[in-house]
Amino acid sequence: MNPADLGLPVDVPSTALFTDHYELTMLQAALANGTADRRSVFEVFTRRLPEGRRYGVVGGTGRVLDAVENFRFDGAVLDFLRERAVVDMRTLDWLASYRFSGDIWGYPEGEVYFPGSPVLRVEGSFAECVLLETVILSILNHDSAIAAAASRMSSAAGERPLIEMGARRTHELAAVAASRAAYVGGFTSTSDLAAGFRYGIPTVGTSAHAFTLLHDSERDAFTAQVASLGGGTTLLVDTYDVAEAVRTAVEVAGTGLGAVRIDSGDLLLVAHRVRQQLDELGATQTRIVVTSDLDEYAIASLAAAPVDAYGVGTQLVTGSGHPTCSMVYKLVARATSADPKAPLVPVAKKSTGGKTSLGGRKWAARRLDAEGVAEAEVVGTGPVPSGLADTQLLVQLVKAGEVVAREPLEAARDRHRAVRAGLPLSATQLSRGEAVLPTEYV
């Protein structure tokens, strides 16, 4: 059975109100003046990467597809809009039968992106496309930020596993989405049971300091935990004295103790001391897990330490300093009339202040060098050059309102690992720098 089919209290029956008031007032005005049915193309992109970042990671695509499917104005929602006089009766009648019937193309989840990359393209009537702006941006901006932070952390960790444990540091619904995005970015498990239930992500966890403090002695706490969970459990050893705790842990669990966790102090120094002590006690296979406000820089600093796994919370679920990707949803082309055969014309914002955009329905491809390493992100509005036909990035996600590209979360995770490996080596440097690939417009 697929856990996703069961649903959760964190799932909402409708995503229709995950939108801004002005989306509906634009709809009302467009219905009134006859422009609502004009064919339109909206694109999601970012004008720049967060400062110092070398690539972005597309996260949340699967959740976008769920949100589009669940964008329905049921009776309770319509009553709310009517009571608040948000829109007129004509618009309410139109909303009552709303179903997105257009097409959506996008970078597949786990793919990387750069400034100007058309991460998502939504096509249909103006009316049906404009309503999706807020919920799409809400998902992509959050999940892509978490996925990018997770990618940097997993790159720094190498082959050592990463545990997502940030549920208590963010909104309870955001925590589930963050676990999902972190898994795409390279994390191996989560402490959040809702994420495990909803998305099938492996869940882990043993005990906190409270469990040790509950007991009359650390030995009593360790004895109770091992009796309940077995010798393969992970014992938290920094409640009091670390060296004494490690000695007690091995005495209680034996040399087959699964792992010890260190959650405070100079992790580099303490990890070396604990490893030496474990080896001297004969617990040579006991692993060391470290936590305590880690980010990608702290993880990188522990590369030479005898650490076997990392647990990351706050810095991960807040995007490691960049909690949004600043993605926008812009109209880039629209028909000259409501006639289905009317031609599309490019449109774009031209004001100054760094918020200009390029009009036209775009394609994107990644040019590779002779060694198969990515060297440029190429974006265009005309015919795709023959040399780039096989490296196009957008895939169709929704066709005539029906989702056609839903995939297992593992597929997005595997894709990201492969795509990141195909970037120039400088992509994984943690030092501040520009986007590792230039964006070229043709």
Coordinates of all heavy atoms in Angstrom, one line a residue, residues 263-359:
D263 N 25.9 15.8 21.0 CA 25.1 16.9 20.7 C 25.6 18.2 21.2 O 24.8 19.2 21.1 CB 23.7 16.6 21.2 CG 22.6 17.6 20.8 OD1 22.5 17.8 19.5 OD2 21.9 18.2 21.6
S264 N 26.8 18.3 21.6 CA 27.3 19.6 22.1 C 28.8 19.5 22.2 O 29.4 18.5 22.0 CB 26.7 19.9 23.5 OG 27.1 18.9 24.4
G265 N 29.4 20.7 22.4 CA 30.9 20.8 22.6 C 31.6 21.0 21.3 O 31.0 21.2 20.2
D266 N 32.9 20.9 21.4 CA 33.8 21.0 20.2 C 33.7 19.6 19.5 O 34.4 18.7 19.9 CB 35.2 21.3 20.6 CG 36.2 21.4 19.5 OD1 35.9 20.9 18.4 OD2 37.2 22.1 19.6
L267 N 32.8 19.5 18.5 CA 32.5 18.2 17.9 C 33.7 17.6 17.3 O 33.9 16.3 17.3 CB 31.4 18.4 16.8 CG 30.1 18.9 17.4 CD1 29.1 19.0 16.2 CD2 29.5 17.9 18.4
L268 N 34.6 18.3 16.7 CA 35.8 17.8 16.1 C 36.7 17.1 17.2 O 37.1 16.0 17.0 CB 36.6 18.9 15.4 CG 37.9 18.5 14.7 CD1 37.7 17.4 13.6 CD2 38.6 19.7 14.1
L269 N 37.0 17.8 18.2 CA 37.8 17.3 19.3 C 37.1 16.1 20.0 O 37.7 15.1 20.2 CB 38.1 18.4 20.3 CG 38.9 18.0 21.6 CD1 40.3 17.5 21.2 CD2 39.0 19.2 22.6
V270 N 35.8 16.3 20.4 CA 35.1 15.3 21.1 C 35.0 14.0 20.3 O 35.1 12.9 20.8 CB 33.7 15.8 21.5 CG1 32.9 14.6 22.2 CG2 33.9 16.9 22.5
A271 N 34.7 14.1 19.0 CA 34.6 12.9 18.1 C 35.9 12.1 18.1 O 35.9 10.9 18.2 CB 34.2 13.4 16.7
H272 N 37.0 12.8 18.0 CA 38.3 12.1 18.0 C 38.5 11.4 19.4 O 39.0 10.2 19.4 CB 39.5 13.1 17.8 CG 39.7 13.3 16.3 ND1 40.3 12.4 15.5 CD2 39.4 14.5 15.6 CE1 40.4 13.0 14.2 NE2 39.9 14.2 14.3
R273 N 38.2 12.0 20.4 CA 38.4 11.4 21.8 C 37.4 10.2 21.9 O 37.8 9.2 22.5 CB 38.1 12.5 22.8 CG 39.3 13.5 23.0 CD 38.9 14.5 24.0 NE 40.0 15.5 24.2 CZ 40.0 16.5 25.0 NH1 38.9 16.8 25.7 NH2 41.1 17.3 25.1
V274 N 36.2 10.4 21.5 CA 35.2 9.3 21.6 C 35.6 8.1 20.8 O 35.5 6.9 21.2 CB 33.8 9.8 21.3 CG1 32.8 8.6 21.2 CG2 33.3 10.8 22.4
R275 N 36.1 8.4 19.6 CA 36.5 7.3 18.7 C 37.7 6.5 19.3 O 37.7 5.2 19.3 CB 36.9 7.8 17.3 CG 37.4 6.8 16.3 CD 36.2 6.0 15.7 NE 35.9 4.8 16.5 CZ 34.7 4.2 16.5 NH1 33.8 4.6 15.8 NH2 34.5 3.1 17.3
Q276 N 38.6 7.2 19.9 CA 39.8 6.5 20.5 C 39.3 5.7 21.7 O 39.7 4.6 21.9 CB 40.8 7.6 21.0 CG 42.0 7.0 21.6 CD 43.0 8.0 22.0 OE1 42.9 9.2 21.8 NE2 44.1 7.6 22.7
Q277 N 38.4 6.3 22.5 CA 37.9 5.6 23.7 C 37.1 4.3 23.3 O 37.3 3.3 23.9 CB 37.0 6.5 24.5 CG 36.6 5.9 25.8 CD 35.7 6.8 26.7 OE1 35.3 7.9 26.2 NE2 35.5 6.5 27.9
L278 N 36.2 4.5 22.3 CA 35.5 3.3 21.8 C 36.4 2.2 21.3 O 36.2 1.0 21.7 CB 34.5 3.7 20.7 CG 33.3 4.5 21.1 CD1 32.6 5.1 19.9 CD2 32.3 3.7 21.9
D279 N 37.4 2.5 20.6 CA 38.3 1.5 20.1 C 39.1 0.8 21.2 O 39.3 -0.4 21.2 CB 39.3 2.2 19.1 CG 38.6 2.6 17.8 OD1 37.5 2.2 17.5 OD2 39.2 3.4 17.0
E280 N 39.5 1.6 22.2 CA 40.2 1.1 23.3 C 39.3 0.1 24.1 O 39.8 -0.8 24.7 CB 40.7 2.2 24.2 CG 41.9 3.0 23.6 CD 42.3 4.2 24.4 OE1 41.5 4.5 25.4 OE2 43.3 4.8 24.1
L281 N 38.0 0.4 24.1 CA 37.1 -0.4 24.9 C 36.6 -1.7 24.0 O 35.8 -2.5 24.5 CB 35.8 0.4 25.3 CG 36.1 1.5 26.3 CD1 34.8 2.4 26.4 CD2 36.4 0.9 27.7
G282 N 37.1 -1.8 22.8 CA 36.7 -2.9 21.9 C 35.5 -2.7 21.1 O 35.1 -3.5 20.3
A283 N 34.9 -1.5 21.2 CA 33.7 -1.2 20.4 C 34.1 -0.5 19.1 O 33.7 0.6 18.8 CB 32.7 -0.3 21.2
T284 N 34.8 -1.3 18.3 CA 35.4 -0.7 17.1 C 34.4 -0.4 16.0 O 34.6 0.3 15.1 CB 36.5 -1.6 16.6 OG1 36.0 -2.9 16.3 CG2 37.7 -1.7 17.6
Q285 N 33.3 -1.1 16.1 CA 32.2 -0.9 15.1 C 31.1 0.0 15.5 O 30.2 0.3 14.7 CB 31.6 -2.3 14.7 CG 32.6 -3.3 14.2 CD 33.4 -2.8 12.9 OE1 32.7 -2.3 12.0 NE2 34.7 -2.8 13.0
T286 N 31.2 0.5 16.7 CA 30.2 1.5 17.1 C 30.4 2.8 16.4 O 31.5 3.4 16.3 CB 30.3 1.7 18.7 OG1 30.1 0.5 19.4 CG2 29.3 2.8 19.1
R287 N 29.3 3.3 15.8 CA 29.3 4.5 15.0 C 29.2 5.7 15.9 O 28.7 5.7 17.0 CB 28.2 4.5 14.0 CG 28.4 3.3 13.0 CD 27.3 3.2 12.0 NE 26.0 3.0 12.7 CZ 25.0 3.8 12.7 NH1 25.0 5.0 12.1 NH2 23.9 3.5 13.4
I288 N 29.6 6.9 15.4 CA 29.5 8.1 16.0 C 28.6 9.0 15.2 O 28.9 9.3 14.0 CB 30.9 8.8 16.2 CG1 31.7 8.0 17.1 CG2 30.7 10.2 16.8 CD1 33.2 8.5 17.3
V289 N 27.5 9.5 15.8 CA 26.6 10.4 15.2 C 26.7 11.8 15.9 O 26.7 11.9 17.1 CB 25.1 9.9 15.3 CG1 24.2 10.9 14.6 CG2 25.0 8.5 14.7
V290 N 26.8 12.9 15.1 CA 26.9 14.2 15.7 C 25.7 15.0 15.2 O 25.3 14.9 14.1 CB 28.3 14.9 15.3 CG1 29.4 14.1 15.9 CG2 28.4 15.1 13.8
T291 N 25.3 15.9 16.2 CA 24.2 16.8 15.9 C 24.7 18.2 16.4 O 25.9 18.4 16.6 CB 22.9 16.4 16.5 OG1 23.1 16.1 17.9 CG2 22.4 15.1 15.9
S292 N 23.8 19.1 16.7 CA 24.1 20.4 17.3 C 24.3 21.5 16.3 O 25.4 21.9 16.0 CB 25.4 20.3 18.2 OG 25.6 21.5 18.9
D293 N 23.2 22.0 15.8 CA 23.2 23.2 14.9 C 24.2 23.1 13.8 O 24.9 24.1 13.5 CB 23.5 24.5 15.7 CG 22.3 24.8 16.7 OD1 21.2 24.5 16.3 OD2 22.6 25.4 17.7
L294 N 24.2 22.0 13.1 CA 25.1 21.8 12.0 C 24.6 22.5 10.7 O 23.4 22.7 10.5 CB 25.3 20.3 11.6 CG 25.9 19.5 12.7 CD1 25.9 18.0 12.3 CD2 27.3 19.9 13.1
D295 N 25.5 23.0 9.9 CA 25.2 23.5 8.5 C 26.3 22.9 7.6 O 27.1 22.1 8.0 CB 25.2 25.0 8.5 CG 26.5 25.7 8.8 OD1 27.5 25.0 9.0 OD2 26.5 26.9 9.0
E296 N 26.3 23.3 6.3 CA 27.2 22.7 5.4 C 28.7 23.0 5.8 O 29.6 22.2 5.5 CB 26.9 23.1 4.0 CG 27.0 24.6 3.7 CD 25.6 25.3 3.8 OE1 24.9 25.1 4.8 OE2 25.2 26.0 2.9
Y297 N 28.9 24.2 6.3 CA 30.3 24.5 6.7 C 30.8 23.7 7.9 O 31.9 23.2 7.9 CB 30.3 26.0 7.0 CG 29.9 26.9 5.9 CD1 28.6 27.5 5.9 CD2 30.7 27.1 4.8 CE1 28.2 28.2 4.8 CE2 30.3 27.9 3.7 CZ 29.0 28.5 3.8 OH 28.6 29.2 2.7
A298 N 29.9 23.5 8.9 CA 30.3 22.7 10.0 C 30.5 21.2 9.6 O 31.4 20.5 10.0 CB 29.2 22.7 11.1
I299 N 29.7 20.7 8.7 CA 29.8 19.4 8.2 C 31.1 19.2 7.4 O 31.9 18.3 7.6 CB 28.6 19.0 7.3 CG1 27.3 18.9 8.1 CG2 28.9 17.7 6.5 CD1 26.1 18.8 7.3
A300 N 31.5 20.2 6.6 CA 32.7 20.2 5.9 C 33.9 20.2 6.8 O 34.9 19.5 6.6 CB 32.8 21.3 4.9
S301 N 33.8 20.9 7.9 CA 34.9 21.0 8.9 C 35.1 19.7 9.6 O 36.2 19.5 10.2 CB 34.6 22.1 9.9 OG 33.6 21.8 10.8
L302 N 34.1 18.8 9.6 CA 34.3 17.5 10.2 C 34.6 16.4 9.3 O 34.6 15.2 9.6 CB 32.9 17.2 10.9 CG 32.6 18.1 12.1 CD1 31.1 17.8 12.5 CD2 33.5 17.8 13.3
A303 N 35.0 16.8 8.0 CA 35.3 15.8 7.0 C 36.4 14.8 7.5 O 36.4 13.6 7.1 CB 35.7 16.4 5.7
A304 N 37.4 15.3 8.2 CA 38.5 14.5 8.6 C 38.3 13.8 10.0 O 39.1 13.1 10.5 CB 39.8 15.3 8.7
A305 N 37.1 14.1 10.6 CA 36.8 13.6 11.9 C 36.2 12.2 11.8 O 35.6 11.8 10.8 CB 35.8 14.5 12.6
P306 N 36.4 11.4 12.8 CA 35.8 10.0 12.8 C 34.3 10.0 13.1 O 33.8 9.5 14.1 CB 36.6 9.3 13.9 CG 36.9 10.4 14.9 CD 37.1 11.6 14.1
V307 N 33.6 10.7 12.2 CA 32.1 10.8 12.3 C 31.5 9.9 11.3 O 31.9 9.9 10.1 CB 31.7 12.3 12.1 CG1 30.2 12.4 12.0 CG2 32.2 13.2 13.2
D308 N 30.4 9.3 11.7 CA 29.8 8.3 10.7 C 28.4 8.8 10.2 O 28.0 8.3 9.2 CB 29.5 7.0 11.5 CG 30.8 6.3 11.9 OD1 31.5 5.8 11.0 OD2 31.1 6.4 13.1
A309 N 27.8 9.8 10.9 CA 26.5 10.3 10.4 C 26.3 11.7 11.0 O 26.8 12.0 12.1 CB 25.4 9.4 10.7
Y310 N 25.5 12.5 10.4 CA 25.1 13.8 10.9 C 23.6 14.0 11.0 O 22.9 13.5 10.2 CB 25.6 14.9 9.9 CG 27.1 14.8 9.5 CD1 27.5 14.1 8.4 CD2 28.1 15.4 10.3 CE1 28.8 14.1 8.0 CE2 29.4 15.4 9.9 CZ 29.8 14.7 8.8 OH 31.1 14.6 8.4
G311 N 23.2 14.7 12.1 CA 21.8 15.1 12.2 C 21.7 16.6 12.1 O 22.4 17.3 12.8
V312 N 20.8 17.0 11.2 CA 20.8 18.5 10.9 C 19.3 18.9 11.1 O 18.4 18.3 10.6 CB 21.2 18.8 9.5 CG1 21.4 20.3 9.3 CG2 22.6 18.1 9.2
G313 N 19.1 20.1 11.8 CA 17.8 20.6 12.0 C 17.6 22.0 11.5 O 17.3 22.3 10.4
T314 N 17.9 23.0 12.4 CA 17.5 24.4 12.2 C 18.1 24.9 10.8 O 17.3 25.5 10.0 CB 18.1 25.3 13.3 OG1 17.6 24.8 14.5 CG2 17.7 26.7 13.1
Q315 N 19.4 24.7 10.6 CA 19.9 25.3 9.4 C 19.3 24.7 8.1 O 19.2 25.4 7.1 CB 21.5 25.1 9.4 CG 22.2 25.9 10.4 CD 21.9 27.4 10.3 OE1 21.9 27.9 9.2 NE2 21.7 28.1 11.4
L316 N 19.0 23.4 8.2 CA 18.4 22.8 7.0 C 17.0 23.4 6.7 O 16.7 23.8 5.6 CB 18.3 21.3 7.2 CG 17.6 20.5 6.1 CD1 18.3 20.6 4.8 CD2 17.3 19.1 6.5
V317 N 16.1 23.4 7.7 CA 14.7 23.8 7.4 C 14.5 25.3 7.2 O 13.4 25.7 6.9 CB 13.8 23.3 8.5 CG1 13.8 21.7 8.6 CG2 14.1 23.9 9.9
T318 N 15.6 26.0 7.4 CA 15.6 27.5 7.1 C 16.4 27.8 5.9 O 16.7 28.9 5.6 CB 16.1 28.3 8.3 OG1 17.4 27.9 8.7 CG2 15.1 28.1 9.5
G319 N 16.8 26.8 5.1 CA 17.5 27.0 3.9 C 18.9 27.4 4.1 O 19.6 28.0 3.2
S320 N 19.5 27.1 5.3 CA 20.9 27.5 5.6 C 21.1 29.0 5.3 O 22.1 29.3 4.6 CB 21.9 26.6 4.9 OG 23.2 26.8 5.5
G321 N 20.3 29.8 5.8 CA 20.4 31.3 5.6 C 19.7 31.8 4.4 O 19.6 33.1 4.2
H322 N 19.1 31.0 3.5 CA 18.4 31.4 2.4 C 17.0 30.7 2.3 O 16.9 29.7 1.6 CB 19.2 31.2 1.1 CG 20.4 32.1 1.1 ND1 20.4 33.4 0.9 CD2 21.7 31.7 1.2 CE1 21.7 33.9 0.9 NE2 22.5 32.8 1.1
P323 N 16.0 31.1 3.1 CA 14.8 30.3 3.2 C 13.9 30.5 1.9 O 12.8 29.8 1.9 CB 14.1 30.9 4.4 CG 14.6 32.3 4.5 CD 16.0 32.3 4.0
T324 N 14.2 31.2 1.0 CA 13.4 31.3 -0.3 C 14.4 31.5 -1.5 O 15.6 31.8 -1.3 CB 12.5 32.5 -0.3 OG1 11.7 32.5 -1.5 CG2 13.2 33.8 -0.1
C325 N 13.9 31.1 -2.6 CA 14.7 31.2 -3.9 C 14.4 32.5 -4.7 O 14.9 32.7 -5.8 CB 14.5 30.0 -4.7 SG 14.8 28.5 -3.9
S326 N 13.4 33.3 -4.2 CA 13.0 34.5 -5.0 C 12.5 34.2 -6.3 O 12.6 34.9 -7.3 CB 14.1 35.5 -5.0 OG 14.5 35.9 -3.7
M327 N 11.8 33.0 -6.5 CA 11.2 32.7 -7.8 C 10.0 33.5 -8.0 O 9.3 33.9 -7.0 CB 10.8 31.2 -7.8 CG 12.0 30.3 -7.9 SD 11.4 28.5 -8.0 CE 13.0 27.7 -8.1
V328 N 9.7 33.9 -9.3 CA 8.5 34.7 -9.6 C 7.7 33.9 -10.7 O 8.3 33.0 -11.3 CB 9.0 36.0 -10.2 CG1 9.6 36.9 -9.0 CG2 9.9 35.9 -11.3
Y329 N 6.5 34.3 -10.9 CA 5.6 33.7 -11.8 C 5.1 34.8 -12.7 O 4.3 35.6 -12.3 CB 4.4 33.1 -11.0 CG 3.4 32.3 -11.7 CD1 3.4 30.9 -11.8 CD2 2.2 32.9 -12.2 CE1 2.4 30.1 -12.3 CE2 1.2 32.2 -12.8 CZ 1.3 30.8 -12.9 OH 0.3 30.0 -13.4
K330 N 5.6 34.8 -14.0 CA 5.3 36.0 -14.8 C 4.6 35.5 -16.1 O 5.0 34.5 -16.7 CB 6.6 36.7 -15.2 CG 7.3 37.3 -14.0 CD 6.5 38.4 -13.3 CE 7.2 39.0 -12.1 NZ 6.3 40.0 -11.5
L331 N 3.7 36.4 -16.6 CA 3.1 36.2 -17.9 C 4.1 36.6 -18.9 O 4.6 37.7 -18.9 CB 1.9 37.1 -18.0 CG 1.1 37.0 -19.3 CD1 0.4 35.6 -19.5 CD2 0.0 38.1 -19.4
V332 N 4.4 35.6 -19.8 CA 5.5 35.9 -20.8 C 4.9 35.9 -22.3 O 5.6 36.3 -23.2 CB 6.6 34.9 -20.7 CG1 7.3 35.0 -19.4 CG2 6.1 33.4 -21.0
A333 N 3.7 35.4 -22.4 CA 3.0 35.4 -23.7 C 1.5 35.3 -23.6 O 1.1 34.6 -22.6 CB 3.6 34.3 -24.6
R334 N 0.8 35.9 -24.5 CA -0.7 35.8 -24.4 C -1.2 36.0 -25.8 O -0.6 36.6 -26.7 CB -1.3 36.8 -23.4 CG -0.9 38.2 -23.5 CD -1.7 39.0 -24.5 NE -1.4 40.4 -24.5 CZ -1.9 41.2 -25.5 NH1 -2.7 40.8 -26.4 NH2 -1.6 42.5 -25.5
A335 N -2.4 35.5 -26.0 CA -3.0 35.6 -27.3 C -3.6 37.0 -27.5 O -3.9 37.7 -26.6 CB -4.2 34.6 -27.5
T336 N -3.8 37.4 -28.8 CA -4.3 38.7 -29.1 C -5.8 38.8 -28.9 O -6.3 39.9 -28.9 CB -3.9 39.0 -30.6 OG1 -4.4 38.0 -31.4 CG2 -2.4 39.1 -30.7
S337 N -6.4 37.7 -28.8 CA -7.9 37.7 -28.5 C -8.3 36.4 -27.8 O -7.4 35.5 -27.6 CB -8.7 37.9 -29.8 OG -8.6 36.7 -30.6
A338 N -9.5 36.2 -27.6 CA -10.0 35.0 -27.0 C -10.2 33.9 -28.0 O -10.5 32.7 -27.6 CB -11.3 35.2 -26.2
D339 N -10.0 34.2 -29.2 CA -10.1 33.2 -30.3 C -9.1 32.1 -30.1 O -7.9 32.4 -30.0 CB -9.9 33.8 -31.7 CG -10.2 32.8 -32.8 OD1 -10.0 31.6 -32.6 OD2 -10.4 33.3 -33.9
P340 N -9.4 30.8 -30.0 CA -8.4 29.8 -29.8 C -7.3 29.7 -30.8 O -6.2 29.2 -30.5 CB -9.3 28.5 -29.8 CG -10.6 28.9 -29.5 CD -10.8 30.3 -30.1
K341 N -7.6 30.3 -32.0 CA -6.6 30.3 -33.0 C -5.7 31.6 -33.1 O -4.8 31.7 -33.9 CB -7.2 30.1 -34.4 CG -7.9 28.7 -34.5 CD -8.6 28.6 -35.9 CE -9.2 27.2 -36.0 NZ -9.9 27.1 -37.4
A342 N -6.0 32.5 -32.2 CA -5.3 33.8 -32.1 C -3.8 33.5 -31.8 O -3.5 32.7 -30.9 CB -6.0 34.7 -31.1
P343 N -2.9 34.2 -32.5 CA -1.5 34.0 -32.2 C -1.1 34.5 -30.9 O -1.7 35.5 -30.3 CB -0.9 34.8 -33.3 CG -1.8 35.9 -33.7 CD -3.2 35.3 -33.5
L344 N 0.0 33.9 -30.3 CA 0.5 34.3 -29.1 C 1.6 35.4 -29.4 O 2.3 35.3 -30.3 CB 1.3 33.2 -28.4 CG 0.4 32.1 -27.7 CD1 1.3 30.9 -27.2 CD2 -0.4 32.6 -26.5
V345 N 1.6 36.4 -28.5 CA 2.6 37.5 -28.7 C 3.4 37.6 -27.4 O 2.8 37.4 -26.3 CB 1.9 38.9 -29.0 CG1 1.2 38.8 -30.3 CG2 0.9 39.2 -27.9
P346 N 4.7 37.8 -27.4 CA 5.5 37.9 -26.2 C 5.1 39.2 -25.4 O 4.8 40.2 -26.0 CB 6.9 38.0 -26.7 CG 6.9 37.6 -28.1 CD 5.5 37.9 -28.6
V347 N 5.1 39.1 -24.1 CA 4.9 40.2 -23.2 C 5.9 40.1 -22.1 O 6.3 39.1 -21.7 CB 3.4 40.3 -22.6 CG1 2.4 40.5 -23.7 CG2 3.1 39.0 -21.9
A348 N 6.3 41.3 -21.6 CA 7.3 41.3 -20.5 C 7.2 42.7 -19.8 O 6.9 43.7 -20.4 CB 8.7 41.1 -21.1
K349 N 7.6 42.6 -18.5 CA 7.7 43.8 -17.7 C 8.9 44.6 -18.1 O 10.0 43.9 -18.2 CB 7.7 43.5 -16.2 CG 7.8 44.6 -15.3 CD 7.8 44.1 -13.8 CE 7.9 45.3 -12.9 NZ 7.9 44.8 -11.5
K350 N 8.9 45.9 -18.3 CA 10.0 46.6 -18.8 C 10.5 47.7 -17.8 O 11.4 48.5 -18.2 CB 9.7 47.3 -20.2 CG 9.3 46.3 -21.3 CD 10.5 45.5 -21.6 CE 10.2 44.6 -22.8 NZ 11.4 43.6 -23.1
S351 N 9.9 47.8 -16.7 CA 10.3 48.8 -15.7 C 11.7 48.6 -15.2 O 12.3 47.5 -15.3 CB 9.3 48.8 -14.5 OG 9.4 47.6 -13.8
T352 N 12.3 49.7 -14.7 CA 13.6 49.6 -14.2 C 13.6 49.1 -12.8 O 12.6 48.9 -12.2 CB 14.3 51.0 -14.2 OG1 13.5 51.9 -13.4 CG2 14.4 51.6 -15.6
G353 N 14.8 48.9 -12.2 CA 14.9 48.5 -10.8 C 15.3 47.0 -10.7 O 15.1 46.5 -9.6
G354 N 15.8 46.4 -11.7 CA 16.2 45.0 -11.6 C 15.1 44.0 -11.7 O 15.3 42.8 -11.5
K355 N 13.9 44.4 -12.1 CA 12.8 43.5 -12.2 C 12.3 43.3 -13.6 O 11.1 42.9 -13.8 CB 11.6 43.9 -11.2 CG 11.9 43.7 -9.8 CD 10.7 43.9 -8.9 CE 11.0 43.5 -7.5 NZ 9.7 43.6 -6.6
T356 N 13.1 43.5 -14.6 CA 12.7 43.3 -15.9 C 12.6 41.8 -16.2 O 13.3 41.0 -15.5 CB 13.7 43.9 -16.9 OG1 15.0 43.4 -16.7 CG2 13.7 45.4 -16.7
S357 N 11.9 41.4 -17.2 CA 11.9 40.0 -17.6 C 11.8 39.9 -19.1 O 11.6 40.9 -19.8 CB 10.6 39.3 -17.0 OG 9.4 40.0 -17.4
L358 N 12.1 38.7 -19.6 CA 12.1 38.5 -21.1 C 10.8 37.8 -21.5 O 10.3 36.8 -20.9 CB 13.3 37.6 -21.4 CG 14.7 38.2 -21.2 CD1 15.7 37.1 -21.5 CD2 14.9 39.4 -22.0
G359 N 10.2 38.3 -22.5 CA 8.9 37.8 -23.0 C 9.2 36.6 -23.9 O 10.3 36.3 -24.4

